Amino acid sequence: MGMAQCSRGDTWTQHTTEREITMDFLELVRSRKSIRSYKPNTVEKEKLDRILEAGRLAPSACNKQPWRLFVIDSPEGIARMKPVYDRDWFVSAPVILVVCRDNRNVWIRNDGRDYGDVDAAIIMDHIILAATELDLGTCWIGAFNRKIAHEVLELSDDYEPLLMTPLGYPAESGRTKVRKQLSEIITRR
């Protein structure tokens, strides 16, 4: 599938042989929802590659890029992930993505603040927004059994699993998001 991107102010257009998508960034952010039901349809390689590329391009503190992405897309691999997060909907998706931090390469601020978790959150945000733009569903998961994930992914002690998301075509529309008003979260000085 041929792709080209054109910048047009605060919107962008992606031309594909199948369709044309024009989406304002705020529209994209507003449309993202946590999806907890997936169709069995395979995620096309081109779409998965585009999502992974969006993650790869994520910024990180001092450009350390302290992450490793795991793509679990075989039926056997997905079945092995069930004890990591014991929800049927989680393993019903055709792909599971796991963001691990590379503890050897995190940036630490001069007051000791470690930015590895922040960097992992940024890459996951890029991934889920790229998936949303491609009409794919995700669900940000942080409350999983990290010890079992470490074993299932066969990680060395240098890597720590931090975030996961199933990835696939939604079989539901997702829950309506409720967000605080700007006045509740902004302080001006």
Side-chain angles (χ1 to χ4, degrees):
M1 176 166 47
M3 295 182 187
Q5 291 185 10
C6 307
S7 178
R8 296 186 181 150
D10 64 352
T11 63
W12 61 272
T13 303
Q14 170 193 344
H15 300 278
T16 69
T17 55
E18 297 173 6
R19 65 184 177 146
E20 183 177 290
I21 303 169
T22 302
M23 189 176 290
D24 174 81
F25 182 71
L26 284 178
E27 179 185 340
L28 173 66
V29 172
R30 285 182 186 117
S31 67
R32 194 222 57 88
K33 294 182 180 179
S34 293
I35 301 298
R36 292 177 176 86
S37 180
Y38 296 89
K39 296 176 182 175
N41 307 44
T42 301
V43 174
E44 297 87 346
K45 181 184 181 320
E46 296 82 11
K47 287 186 177 185
L48 180 58
D49 288 348
R50 185 171 174 85
I51 291 163
L52 297 173
E53 179 67 2
R56 185 185 75 81
L57 295 173
S60 62
C62 290
N63 198 30
K64 292 282 195 172
Q65 303 171 58
W67 48 62
R68 183 78 180 175
L69 282 174
F70 285 79
V71 179
I72 297 100
D73 57 1
S74 70
E76 301 80 20
I78 290 172
R80 290 186 67 215
M81 292 298 290
K82 180 78 157 81
V84 175
Y85 188 69
D86 193 16
R87 304 292 189 282
D88 290 336
W89 61 264
F90 173 63
V91 293
S92 73
V95 179
I96 296 172
L97 301 176
V98 183
V99 176
C100 297
R101 63 179 262 161
D102 180 349
N103 290 319
R104 301 166 300 177
N105 200 31
V106 298
W107 181 72
I108 300 173
R109 194 167 58 192
N110 61 7
D111 63 358
R113 173 67 165 97
D114 173 325
Y115 270 72
D117 290 3
V118 173
D119 292 338
I122 295 169
I123 191 172
M124 181 61 87
D125 195 54
H126 276 54
I127 286 168
I128 64 173
L129 289 174
T132 301
E133 187 269 330
L134 296 171
D135 297 323
L136 292 166
T138 59
C139 187
W140 183 298
I141 299 171
F144 59 89
N145 188 314
R146 289 184 7 185
K147 182 177 184 227
I148 295 174
H150 205 276
E151 293 168 7
V152 168
L153 297 171
E154 300 174 4
L155 299 175
S156 71
D157 289 340
D158 295 326
Y159 291 98
E160 181 181 353
L162 287 182
L163 301 163
M164 302 187 308
T165 184
L167 174 71
Y169 286 94
E172 67 172 15
S173 60
R175 300 175 189 160
T176 301
K177 293 191 287 188
V178 177
R179 294 291 185 260
K180 294 178 181 180
Q181 296 298 312
L182 276 177
S183 62
E184 296 177 81
I185 64 168
I186 302 294
T187 300
R188 296 185 189 267
R189 303 266 186 220

